[in-house]
């Protein structure tokens, strides 16, 4: 049976923003709206969507970098908001993050050895006398050995791919079970991306990690994900096993995303017409009522003024759309 590591229930993140000469106009950005999601041990869930979909905000909420406006996040059955003291430190050790820009996430004035030893000594998870051997193991685990070639050097002395391996090693230093990876390969050369993705896949299975993988790149998602969650303007619009999403997408927005990468979609290969949308995404301060996609959806109907709920399509696949079957181009 699947062991749940993270459960997100009715999560909302709303930011107030001010505009006008004296900041007199106050509006609310609905960055994340009513999202429910679970993440299991040894599972990769990919959060996908264009910029402004809310995936990064949700990822930050999972690692504790962003507070929810309402709703809750449970870590191994415990409400994260109710944690304090040692249980809160345990959460921060267990849930780690890998950022998009490995250079920006490493301190340029610290050697790699210092950067990797620091969390161990801060959290007292390893005795000082054993820290060097532990760092050596970490570097070996991410494919950087022999370690003496790396520990005394600074981040700028490495390539982008090596720096991302170092950032992954640092994320693993406290032996976490949950890793949130925010676009971890999008800043890397194409030739390096596969290596880093394979590394993450290997680490996931060796360490039984739960991997929450944030990406706008569907090619990468198809490669690494077990399950896919599609977000649009703060809402979860479709979720399911990776093959169901790529081969039988139901929600028109998912079809649009796949249509932009036609070689990935078997549905497209089966002569389904490409679904296209018009216009720009609405402002997150004024999302449309009802279905948030209705101002751009070619299938919008009167009923779409009523917000659709996630409908179970079977096999763990569900979609928030009033259409009965998968969308067909009009
Ligand atoms: Fe389009 Fe309506 Fe489905 Fe929204 S609910 S995606 S507007 S058909």
């Amino acid at each position: 049976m699947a062991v749940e590591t993270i459960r997100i229930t009715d999560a909302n993140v709303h930011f107030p923003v001010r505009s006008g000469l004296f900041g007199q106009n106050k509006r609310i950005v609905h960055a994340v709206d009513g999202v429910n999601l679970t993440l299991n041990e040894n599972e990769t869930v990919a959060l996908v969507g264009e910029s402004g979909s809310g995936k990064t905000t949700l990822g930050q909420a999972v690692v504790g970098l962003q507070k929810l406006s309402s709703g809750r996040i449970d870590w191994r059955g415990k409400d994260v908001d109710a944690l304090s003291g040692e249980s809160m430190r345990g959460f921060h050790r267990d849930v780690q993050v890998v950022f998009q820009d490995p250079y920006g996430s490493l301190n340029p004035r610290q050697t790699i050895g210092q950067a990797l030893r620091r969390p161990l000594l801060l959290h007292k998870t390893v005795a000082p006398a054993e820290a060097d051997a532990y760092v050596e193991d970490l570097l070996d685990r991410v494919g950087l050995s022999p370690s003496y070639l790396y520990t005394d050097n600074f981040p700028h002395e490495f390539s982008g791919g090596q720096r991302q391996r170092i950032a992954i090693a640092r994320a693993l230093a406290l032996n976490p079970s949950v890793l949130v990876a925010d676009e971890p390969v999008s800043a890397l050369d194409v030739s390096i991306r596969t290596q880093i993705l394979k590394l993450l896949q290997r680490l996931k299975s060796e360490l039984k990690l739960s991997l929450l993988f944030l990406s706008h790149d569907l090619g990468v998602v198809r490669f690494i994900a077990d399950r896919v969650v599609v977000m649009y303007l703060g809402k979860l619009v479709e979720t399911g096993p990776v093959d169901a999403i790529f081969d039988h997408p139901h929600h028109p927005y998912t079809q649009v995303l796949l249509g932009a990468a036609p070689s990935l979609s078997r549905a497209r290969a089966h002569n389904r017409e490409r679904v296209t949308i018009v216009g720009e995404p609405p402002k997150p301060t004024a999302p449309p009522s009802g279905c948030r996609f209705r101002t751009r959806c070619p299938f919008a109907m009167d009923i779409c003024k009523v917000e659709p709920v996630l409908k179970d399509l079977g096999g763990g696949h569900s979609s928030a759309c009033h259409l009965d079957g998968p969308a067909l181009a009009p």
Side-chain angles (χ1 to χ4, degrees), residues 128-163:
E130 291 162 17
D132 284 348
Y134 194 91
V135 165
E136 198 173 313
D137 275 357
L138 274 176
L139 287 169
D140 189 44
R141 179 153 260 166
V142 298
L144 298 176
S145 58
S147 61
Y148 63 81
L149 292 178
Y150 304 93
T151 44
D152 294 333
N153 296 69
F154 291 88
H156 72 268
E157 297 176 77
F158 297 104
S159 68
Q162 287 171 322
R163 279 200 290 264

PDB file of all heavy atoms in Angstrom, residues 128-163:
ATOM      1  N   PRO A 128      31.045  16.136  14.075  1.00  0.00           N
ATOM      2  CA  PRO A 128      32.025  16.899  13.286  1.00  0.00           C
ATOM      3  C   PRO A 128      33.135  16.019  12.711  1.00  0.00           C
ATOM      4  O   PRO A 128      33.554  16.202  11.569  1.00  0.00           O
ATOM      5  CB  PRO A 128      32.574  17.919  14.283  1.00  0.00           C
ATOM      6  CG  PRO A 128      31.456  18.105  15.269  1.00  0.00           C
ATOM      7  CD  PRO A 128      30.758  16.783  15.364  1.00  0.00           C
ATOM      8  N   ALA A 129      33.574  15.029  13.473  1.00  0.00           N
ATOM      9  CA  ALA A 129      34.689  14.184  13.009  1.00  0.00           C
ATOM     10  C   ALA A 129      34.282  13.315  11.813  1.00  0.00           C
ATOM     11  O   ALA A 129      35.138  12.839  11.061  1.00  0.00           O
ATOM     12  CB  ALA A 129      35.166  13.298  14.160  1.00  0.00           C
ATOM     13  N   GLU A 130      32.989  13.109  11.671  1.00  0.00           N
ATOM     14  CA  GLU A 130      32.521  12.242  10.571  1.00  0.00           C
ATOM     15  C   GLU A 130      32.007  13.030   9.364  1.00  0.00           C
ATOM     16  O   GLU A 130      31.598  12.451   8.351  1.00  0.00           O
ATOM     17  CB  GLU A 130      31.402  11.320  11.079  1.00  0.00           C
ATOM     18  CG  GLU A 130      31.902  10.278  12.061  1.00  0.00           C
ATOM     19  CD  GLU A 130      30.767   9.669  12.873  1.00  0.00           C
ATOM     20  OE1 GLU A 130      29.602   9.794  12.470  1.00  0.00           O
ATOM     21  OE2 GLU A 130      31.090   9.080  13.917  1.00  0.00           O
ATOM     22  N   ALA A 131      31.996  14.371   9.492  1.00  0.00           N
ATOM     23  CA  ALA A 131      31.361  15.192   8.452  1.00  0.00           C
ATOM     24  C   ALA A 131      32.064  15.050   7.097  1.00  0.00           C
ATOM     25  O   ALA A 131      31.395  14.963   6.061  1.00  0.00           O
ATOM     26  CB  ALA A 131      31.333  16.654   8.893  1.00  0.00           C
ATOM     27  N   ASP A 132      33.402  15.007   7.106  1.00  0.00           N
ATOM     28  CA  ASP A 132      34.113  14.935   5.819  1.00  0.00           C
ATOM     29  C   ASP A 132      33.782  13.638   5.071  1.00  0.00           C
ATOM     30  O   ASP A 132      33.568  13.651   3.854  1.00  0.00           O
ATOM     31  CB  ASP A 132      35.624  15.033   6.043  1.00  0.00           C
ATOM     32  CG  ASP A 132      36.031  16.473   6.342  1.00  0.00           C
ATOM     33  OD1 ASP A 132      35.184  17.379   6.147  1.00  0.00           O
ATOM     34  OD2 ASP A 132      37.176  16.687   6.788  1.00  0.00           O
ATOM     35  N   ALA A 133      33.738  12.536   5.800  1.00  0.00           N
ATOM     36  CA  ALA A 133      33.419  11.253   5.155  1.00  0.00           C
ATOM     37  C   ALA A 133      31.984  11.265   4.634  1.00  0.00           C
ATOM     38  O   ALA A 133      31.691  10.734   3.548  1.00  0.00           O
ATOM     39  CB  ALA A 133      33.607  10.118   6.167  1.00  0.00           C
ATOM     40  N   TYR A 134      31.089  11.907   5.398  1.00  0.00           N
ATOM     41  CA  TYR A 134      29.683  11.994   4.979  1.00  0.00           C
ATOM     42  C   TYR A 134      29.561  12.808   3.689  1.00  0.00           C
ATOM     43  O   TYR A 134      28.847  12.432   2.751  1.00  0.00           O
ATOM     44  CB  TYR A 134      28.867  12.637   6.111  1.00  0.00           C
ATOM     45  CG  TYR A 134      27.375  12.491   5.943  1.00  0.00           C
ATOM     46  CD1 TYR A 134      26.676  11.415   6.485  1.00  0.00           C
ATOM     47  CD2 TYR A 134      26.649  13.451   5.241  1.00  0.00           C
ATOM     48  CE1 TYR A 134      25.302  11.289   6.320  1.00  0.00           C
ATOM     49  CE2 TYR A 134      25.274  13.333   5.064  1.00  0.00           C
ATOM     50  CZ  TYR A 134      24.603  12.249   5.615  1.00  0.00           C
ATOM     51  OH  TYR A 134      23.247  12.133   5.447  1.00  0.00           O
ATOM     52  N   VAL A 135      30.305  13.933   3.630  1.00  0.00           N
ATOM     53  CA  VAL A 135      30.284  14.789   2.433  1.00  0.00           C
ATOM     54  C   VAL A 135      30.824  14.016   1.228  1.00  0.00           C
ATOM     55  O   VAL A 135      30.293  14.111   0.115  1.00  0.00           O
ATOM     56  CB  VAL A 135      31.106  16.075   2.695  1.00  0.00           C
ATOM     57  CG1 VAL A 135      31.429  16.802   1.402  1.00  0.00           C
ATOM     58  CG2 VAL A 135      30.352  16.989   3.650  1.00  0.00           C
ATOM     59  N   GLU A 136      31.843  13.227   1.471  1.00  0.00           N
ATOM     60  CA  GLU A 136      32.423  12.402   0.397  1.00  0.00           C
ATOM     61  C   GLU A 136      31.356  11.448  -0.163  1.00  0.00           C
ATOM     62  O   GLU A 136      31.187  11.314  -1.375  1.00  0.00           O
ATOM     63  CB  GLU A 136      33.580  11.604   0.996  1.00  0.00           C
ATOM     64  CG  GLU A 136      34.534  11.053  -0.016  1.00  0.00           C
ATOM     65  CD  GLU A 136      35.738  10.418   0.678  1.00  0.00           C
ATOM     66  OE1 GLU A 136      36.317  11.039   1.600  1.00  0.00           O
ATOM     67  OE2 GLU A 136      36.062   9.298   0.307  1.00  0.00           O
ATOM     68  N   ASP A 137      30.599  10.829   0.740  1.00  0.00           N
ATOM     69  CA  ASP A 137      29.518   9.919   0.317  1.00  0.00           C
ATOM     70  C   ASP A 137      28.450  10.654  -0.484  1.00  0.00           C
ATOM     71  O   ASP A 137      27.946  10.139  -1.487  1.00  0.00           O
ATOM     72  CB  ASP A 137      28.829   9.300   1.549  1.00  0.00           C
ATOM     73  CG  ASP A 137      29.576   8.082   2.029  1.00  0.00           C
ATOM     74  OD1 ASP A 137      30.561   7.714   1.378  1.00  0.00           O
ATOM     75  OD2 ASP A 137      29.163   7.521   3.070  1.00  0.00           O
ATOM     76  N   LEU A 138      28.100  11.858   0.001  1.00  0.00           N
ATOM     77  CA  LEU A 138      27.061  12.644  -0.691  1.00  0.00           C
ATOM     78  C   LEU A 138      27.483  12.959  -2.116  1.00  0.00           C
ATOM     79  O   LEU A 138      26.710  12.807  -3.059  1.00  0.00           O
ATOM     80  CB  LEU A 138      26.844  13.980   0.041  1.00  0.00           C
ATOM     81  CG  LEU A 138      25.875  14.017   1.206  1.00  0.00           C
ATOM     82  CD1 LEU A 138      25.899  15.399   1.846  1.00  0.00           C
ATOM     83  CD2 LEU A 138      24.459  13.677   0.749  1.00  0.00           C
ATOM     84  N   LEU A 139      28.729  13.408  -2.271  1.00  0.00           N
ATOM     85  CA  LEU A 139      29.215  13.759  -3.607  1.00  0.00           C
ATOM     86  C   LEU A 139      29.266  12.531  -4.511  1.00  0.00           C
ATOM     87  O   LEU A 139      28.926  12.591  -5.696  1.00  0.00           O
ATOM     88  CB  LEU A 139      30.589  14.435  -3.505  1.00  0.00           C
ATOM     89  CG  LEU A 139      30.548  15.871  -2.965  1.00  0.00           C
ATOM     90  CD1 LEU A 139      31.956  16.371  -2.647  1.00  0.00           C
ATOM     91  CD2 LEU A 139      29.877  16.822  -3.963  1.00  0.00           C
ATOM     92  N   ASP A 140      29.663  11.418  -3.924  1.00  0.00           N
ATOM     93  CA  ASP A 140      29.709  10.173  -4.685  1.00  0.00           C
ATOM     94  C   ASP A 140      28.302   9.782  -5.155  1.00  0.00           C
ATOM     95  O   ASP A 140      28.097   9.359  -6.289  1.00  0.00           O
ATOM     96  CB  ASP A 140      30.315   9.088  -3.783  1.00  0.00           C
ATOM     97  CG  ASP A 140      30.589   7.828  -4.574  1.00  0.00           C
ATOM     98  OD1 ASP A 140      31.119   7.947  -5.690  1.00  0.00           O
ATOM     99  OD2 ASP A 140      30.224   6.728  -4.097  1.00  0.00           O
ATOM    100  N   ARG A 141      27.334   9.972  -4.269  1.00  0.00           N
ATOM    101  CA  ARG A 141      25.940   9.604  -4.559  1.00  0.00           C
ATOM    102  C   ARG A 141      25.393  10.389  -5.758  1.00  0.00           C
ATOM    103  O   ARG A 141      24.588   9.887  -6.528  1.00  0.00           O
ATOM    104  CB  ARG A 141      25.114   9.883  -3.306  1.00  0.00           C
ATOM    105  CG  ARG A 141      23.680   9.593  -3.442  1.00  0.00           C
ATOM    106  CD  ARG A 141      23.057   9.260  -2.110  1.00  0.00           C
ATOM    107  NE  ARG A 141      22.933   7.832  -1.971  1.00  0.00           N
ATOM    108  CZ  ARG A 141      22.671   7.197  -0.853  1.00  0.00           C
ATOM    109  NH1 ARG A 141      22.528   7.875   0.238  1.00  0.00           N
ATOM    110  NH2 ARG A 141      22.547   5.902  -0.829  1.00  0.00           N
ATOM    111  N   VAL A 142      25.837  11.650  -5.919  1.00  0.00           N
ATOM    112  CA  VAL A 142      25.327  12.457  -7.042  1.00  0.00           C
ATOM    113  C   VAL A 142      26.287  12.419  -8.242  1.00  0.00           C
ATOM    114  O   VAL A 142      26.172  13.214  -9.168  1.00  0.00           O
ATOM    115  CB  VAL A 142      25.043  13.923  -6.622  1.00  0.00           C
ATOM    116  CG1 VAL A 142      23.972  13.985  -5.558  1.00  0.00           C
ATOM    117  CG2 VAL A 142      26.313  14.633  -6.172  1.00  0.00           C
ATOM    118  N   GLY A 143      27.235  11.491  -8.208  1.00  0.00           N
ATOM    119  CA  GLY A 143      28.108  11.290  -9.369  1.00  0.00           C
ATOM    120  C   GLY A 143      29.288  12.239  -9.440  1.00  0.00           C
ATOM    121  O   GLY A 143      29.839  12.458 -10.519  1.00  0.00           O
ATOM    122  N   LEU A 144      29.699  12.807  -8.275  1.00  0.00           N
ATOM    123  CA  LEU A 144      30.871  13.689  -8.266  1.00  0.00           C
ATOM    124  C   LEU A 144      31.961  13.043  -7.413  1.00  0.00           C
ATOM    125  O   LEU A 144      32.017  13.244  -6.195  1.00  0.00           O
ATOM    126  CB  LEU A 144      30.505  15.079  -7.714  1.00  0.00           C
ATOM    127  CG  LEU A 144      29.474  15.865  -8.519  1.00  0.00           C
ATOM    128  CD1 LEU A 144      29.126  17.172  -7.814  1.00  0.00           C
ATOM    129  CD2 LEU A 144      29.963  16.163  -9.934  1.00  0.00           C
ATOM    130  N   SER A 145      32.777  12.255  -8.043  1.00  0.00           N
ATOM    131  CA  SER A 145      33.877  11.634  -7.305  1.00  0.00           C
ATOM    132  C   SER A 145      35.107  11.545  -8.209  1.00  0.00           C
ATOM    133  O   SER A 145      34.959  11.532  -9.429  1.00  0.00           O
ATOM    134  CB  SER A 145      33.474  10.251  -6.776  1.00  0.00           C
ATOM    135  OG  SER A 145      33.095   9.433  -7.847  1.00  0.00           O
ATOM    136  N   PRO A 146      36.298  11.547  -7.667  1.00  0.00           N
ATOM    137  CA  PRO A 146      36.606  11.585  -6.239  1.00  0.00           C
ATOM    138  C   PRO A 146      36.318  12.965  -5.658  1.00  0.00           C
ATOM    139  O   PRO A 146      36.465  13.987  -6.318  1.00  0.00           O
ATOM    140  CB  PRO A 146      38.111  11.266  -6.195  1.00  0.00           C
ATOM    141  CG  PRO A 146      38.634  11.686  -7.527  1.00  0.00           C
ATOM    142  CD  PRO A 146      37.531  11.472  -8.504  1.00  0.00           C
ATOM    143  N   SER A 147      35.884  12.968  -4.389  1.00  0.00           N
ATOM    144  CA  SER A 147      35.374  14.187  -3.765  1.00  0.00           C
ATOM    145  C   SER A 147      36.420  15.293  -3.659  1.00  0.00           C
ATOM    146  O   SER A 147      36.080  16.462  -3.668  1.00  0.00           O
ATOM    147  CB  SER A 147      34.815  13.852  -2.388  1.00  0.00           C
ATOM    148  OG  SER A 147      35.846  13.325  -1.585  1.00  0.00           O
ATOM    149  N   TYR A 148      37.742  14.906  -3.558  1.00  0.00           N
ATOM    150  CA  TYR A 148      38.758  15.956  -3.372  1.00  0.00           C
ATOM    151  C   TYR A 148      38.838  16.909  -4.570  1.00  0.00           C
ATOM    152  O   TYR A 148      39.383  17.992  -4.470  1.00  0.00           O
ATOM    153  CB  TYR A 148      40.137  15.351  -3.051  1.00  0.00           C
ATOM    154  CG  TYR A 148      40.716  14.496  -4.158  1.00  0.00           C
ATOM    155  CD1 TYR A 148      41.358  15.068  -5.255  1.00  0.00           C
ATOM    156  CD2 TYR A 148      40.635  13.102  -4.096  1.00  0.00           C
ATOM    157  CE1 TYR A 148      41.893  14.279  -6.269  1.00  0.00           C
ATOM    158  CE2 TYR A 148      41.160  12.315  -5.108  1.00  0.00           C
ATOM    159  CZ  TYR A 148      41.776  12.913  -6.187  1.00  0.00           C
ATOM    160  OH  TYR A 148      42.290  12.137  -7.199  1.00  0.00           O
ATOM    161  N   LEU A 149      38.254  16.496  -5.698  1.00  0.00           N
ATOM    162  CA  LEU A 149      38.240  17.388  -6.863  1.00  0.00           C
ATOM    163  C   LEU A 149      37.197  18.500  -6.705  1.00  0.00           C
ATOM    164  O   LEU A 149      37.148  19.427  -7.500  1.00  0.00           O
ATOM    165  CB  LEU A 149      37.927  16.600  -8.139  1.00  0.00           C
ATOM    166  CG  LEU A 149      38.975  15.609  -8.607  1.00  0.00           C
ATOM    167  CD1 LEU A 149      38.487  14.877  -9.853  1.00  0.00           C
ATOM    168  CD2 LEU A 149      40.285  16.346  -8.918  1.00  0.00           C
ATOM    169  N   TYR A 150      36.334  18.359  -5.705  1.00  0.00           N
ATOM    170  CA  TYR A 150      35.205  19.295  -5.567  1.00  0.00           C
ATOM    171  C   TYR A 150      35.185  20.068  -4.258  1.00  0.00           C
ATOM    172  O   TYR A 150      34.814  21.236  -4.235  1.00  0.00           O
ATOM    173  CB  TYR A 150      33.878  18.522  -5.701  1.00  0.00           C
ATOM    174  CG  TYR A 150      33.798  17.761  -7.001  1.00  0.00           C
ATOM    175  CD1 TYR A 150      34.208  16.423  -7.084  1.00  0.00           C
ATOM    176  CD2 TYR A 150      33.362  18.385  -8.160  1.00  0.00           C
ATOM    177  CE1 TYR A 150      34.175  15.737  -8.283  1.00  0.00           C
ATOM    178  CE2 TYR A 150      33.324  17.705  -9.369  1.00  0.00           C
ATOM    179  CZ  TYR A 150      33.728  16.380  -9.424  1.00  0.00           C
ATOM    180  OH  TYR A 150      33.697  15.710 -10.625  1.00  0.00           O
ATOM    181  N   THR A 151      35.554  19.429  -3.163  1.00  0.00           N
ATOM    182  CA  THR A 151      35.274  20.016  -1.837  1.00  0.00           C
ATOM    183  C   THR A 151      35.956  21.366  -1.596  1.00  0.00           C
ATOM    184  O   THR A 151      35.412  22.204  -0.892  1.00  0.00           O
ATOM    185  CB  THR A 151      35.684  19.047  -0.705  1.00  0.00           C
ATOM    186  OG1 THR A 151      36.954  18.502  -1.016  1.00  0.00           O
ATOM    187  CG2 THR A 151      34.687  17.928  -0.545  1.00  0.00           C
ATOM    188  N   ASP A 152      37.154  21.586  -2.139  1.00  0.00           N
ATOM    189  CA  ASP A 152      37.855  22.839  -1.846  1.00  0.00           C
ATOM    190  C   ASP A 152      37.624  23.919  -2.898  1.00  0.00           C
ATOM    191  O   ASP A 152      38.265  24.964  -2.865  1.00  0.00           O
ATOM    192  CB  ASP A 152      39.370  22.572  -1.706  1.00  0.00           C
ATOM    193  CG  ASP A 152      39.652  21.713  -0.486  1.00  0.00           C
ATOM    194  OD1 ASP A 152      38.846  21.781   0.462  1.00  0.00           O
ATOM    195  OD2 ASP A 152      40.639  20.954  -0.503  1.00  0.00           O
ATOM    196  N   ASN A 153      36.731  23.648  -3.831  1.00  0.00           N
ATOM    197  CA  ASN A 153      36.484  24.626  -4.900  1.00  0.00           C
ATOM    198  C   ASN A 153      35.184  25.388  -4.656  1.00  0.00           C
ATOM    199  O   ASN A 153      34.340  24.951  -3.883  1.00  0.00           O
ATOM    200  CB  ASN A 153      36.417  23.910  -6.247  1.00  0.00           C
ATOM    201  CG  ASN A 153      37.749  23.278  -6.595  1.00  0.00           C
ATOM    202  OD1 ASN A 153      38.159  22.319  -5.945  1.00  0.00           O
ATOM    203  ND2 ASN A 153      38.413  23.814  -7.585  1.00  0.00           N
ATOM    204  N   PHE A 154      35.058  26.516  -5.372  1.00  0.00           N
ATOM    205  CA  PHE A 154      33.883  27.383  -5.216  1.00  0.00           C
ATOM    206  C   PHE A 154      32.890  27.117  -6.361  1.00  0.00           C
ATOM    207  O   PHE A 154      33.286  26.628  -7.436  1.00  0.00           O
ATOM    208  CB  PHE A 154      34.327  28.851  -5.211  1.00  0.00           C
ATOM    209  CG  PHE A 154      35.100  29.202  -3.978  1.00  0.00           C
ATOM    210  CD1 PHE A 154      36.488  29.023  -3.926  1.00  0.00           C
ATOM    211  CD2 PHE A 154      34.443  29.702  -2.850  1.00  0.00           C
ATOM    212  CE1 PHE A 154      37.197  29.326  -2.776  1.00  0.00           C
ATOM    213  CE2 PHE A 154      35.155  30.009  -1.693  1.00  0.00           C
ATOM    214  CZ  PHE A 154      36.538  29.819  -1.650  1.00  0.00           C
ATOM    215  N   PRO A 155      31.619  27.494  -6.154  1.00  0.00           N
ATOM    216  CA  PRO A 155      30.595  27.181  -7.168  1.00  0.00           C
ATOM    217  C   PRO A 155      30.944  27.658  -8.578  1.00  0.00           C
ATOM    218  O   PRO A 155      30.656  26.958  -9.550  1.00  0.00           O
ATOM    219  CB  PRO A 155      29.342  27.897  -6.632  1.00  0.00           C
ATOM    220  CG  PRO A 155      29.541  27.930  -5.157  1.00  0.00           C
ATOM    221  CD  PRO A 155      31.014  28.070  -4.940  1.00  0.00           C
ATOM    222  N   HIS A 156      31.587  28.837  -8.706  1.00  0.00           N
ATOM    223  CA  HIS A 156      31.832  29.370 -10.050  1.00  0.00           C
ATOM    224  C   HIS A 156      32.842  28.518 -10.831  1.00  0.00           C
ATOM    225  O   HIS A 156      32.994  28.694 -12.041  1.00  0.00           O
ATOM    226  CB  HIS A 156      32.324  30.822  -9.973  1.00  0.00           C
ATOM    227  CG  HIS A 156      33.722  30.966  -9.464  1.00  0.00           C
ATOM    228  ND1 HIS A 156      34.005  31.152  -8.118  1.00  0.00           N
ATOM    229  CD2 HIS A 156      34.915  30.936 -10.099  1.00  0.00           C
ATOM    230  CE1 HIS A 156      35.314  31.220  -7.977  1.00  0.00           C
ATOM    231  NE2 HIS A 156      35.893  31.095  -9.149  1.00  0.00           N
ATOM    232  N   GLU A 157      33.520  27.613 -10.144  1.00  0.00           N
ATOM    233  CA  GLU A 157      34.522  26.788 -10.835  1.00  0.00           C
ATOM    234  C   GLU A 157      33.903  25.550 -11.516  1.00  0.00           C
ATOM    235  O   GLU A 157      34.622  24.744 -12.097  1.00  0.00           O
ATOM    236  CB  GLU A 157      35.599  26.362  -9.843  1.00  0.00           C
ATOM    237  CG  GLU A 157      36.365  27.561  -9.279  1.00  0.00           C
ATOM    238  CD  GLU A 157      37.384  27.165  -8.221  1.00  0.00           C
ATOM    239  OE1 GLU A 157      38.450  26.657  -8.603  1.00  0.00           O
ATOM    240  OE2 GLU A 157      37.092  27.363  -7.026  1.00  0.00           O
ATOM    241  N   PHE A 158      32.571  25.418 -11.403  1.00  0.00           N
ATOM    242  CA  PHE A 158      31.924  24.227 -11.968  1.00  0.00           C
ATOM    243  C   PHE A 158      30.960  24.582 -13.086  1.00  0.00           C
ATOM    244  O   PHE A 158      30.505  25.718 -13.197  1.00  0.00           O
ATOM    245  CB  PHE A 158      31.177  23.476 -10.857  1.00  0.00           C
ATOM    246  CG  PHE A 158      32.105  22.971  -9.786  1.00  0.00           C
ATOM    247  CD1 PHE A 158      32.180  23.609  -8.573  1.00  0.00           C
ATOM    248  CD2 PHE A 158      32.932  21.886 -10.027  1.00  0.00           C
ATOM    249  CE1 PHE A 158      33.053  23.173  -7.595  1.00  0.00           C
ATOM    250  CE2 PHE A 158      33.813  21.436  -9.056  1.00  0.00           C
ATOM    251  CZ  PHE A 158      33.873  22.078  -7.839  1.00  0.00           C
ATOM    252  N   SER A 159      30.642  23.584 -13.884  1.00  0.00           N
ATOM    253  CA  SER A 159      29.643  23.772 -14.957  1.00  0.00           C
ATOM    254  C   SER A 159      28.239  23.785 -14.334  1.00  0.00           C
ATOM    255  O   SER A 159      28.055  23.408 -13.165  1.00  0.00           O
ATOM    256  CB  SER A 159      29.743  22.613 -15.950  1.00  0.00           C
ATOM    257  OG  SER A 159      29.316  21.417 -15.317  1.00  0.00           O
ATOM    258  N   GLY A 160      27.244  24.188 -15.144  1.00  0.00           N
ATOM    259  CA  GLY A 160      25.863  24.218 -14.649  1.00  0.00           C
ATOM    260  C   GLY A 160      25.397  22.854 -14.163  1.00  0.00           C
ATOM    261  O   GLY A 160      24.747  22.738 -13.120  1.00  0.00           O
ATOM    262  N   GLY A 161      25.718  21.803 -14.916  1.00  0.00           N
ATOM    263  CA  GLY A 161      25.298  20.452 -14.539  1.00  0.00           C
ATOM    264  C   GLY A 161      25.952  20.020 -13.227  1.00  0.00           C
ATOM    265  O   GLY A 161      25.302  19.418 -12.365  1.00  0.00           O
ATOM    266  N   GLN A 162      27.253  20.323 -13.067  1.00  0.00           N
ATOM    267  CA  GLN A 162      27.939  19.959 -11.816  1.00  0.00           C
ATOM    268  C   GLN A 162      27.345  20.727 -10.639  1.00  0.00           C
ATOM    269  O   GLN A 162      27.156  20.175  -9.550  1.00  0.00           O
ATOM    270  CB  GLN A 162      29.436  20.258 -11.938  1.00  0.00           C
ATOM    271  CG  GLN A 162      30.181  19.285 -12.826  1.00  0.00           C
ATOM    272  CD  GLN A 162      31.604  19.736 -13.085  1.00  0.00           C
ATOM    273  OE1 GLN A 162      31.880  20.938 -13.249  1.00  0.00           O
ATOM    274  NE2 GLN A 162      32.525  18.788 -13.138  1.00  0.00           N
ATOM    275  N   ARG A 163      27.032  22.006 -10.880  1.00  0.00           N
ATOM    276  CA  ARG A 163      26.450  22.810  -9.796  1.00  0.00           C
ATOM    277  C   ARG A 163      25.085  22.256  -9.392  1.00  0.00           C
ATOM    278  O   ARG A 163      24.750  22.235  -8.212  1.00  0.00           O
ATOM    279  CB  ARG A 163      26.309  24.275 -10.236  1.00  0.00           C
ATOM    280  CG  ARG A 163      27.599  25.055 -10.122  1.00  0.00           C
ATOM    281  CD  ARG A 163      27.343  26.541 -10.091  1.00  0.00           C
ATOM    282  NE  ARG A 163      26.889  27.044 -11.362  1.00  0.00           N
ATOM    283  CZ  ARG A 163      27.682  27.602 -12.283  1.00  0.00           C
ATOM    284  NH1 ARG A 163      28.969  27.733 -12.035  1.00  0.00           N
ATOM    285  NH2 ARG A 163      27.181  28.036 -13.411  1.00  0.00           N
TER     286      ARG A 163
END
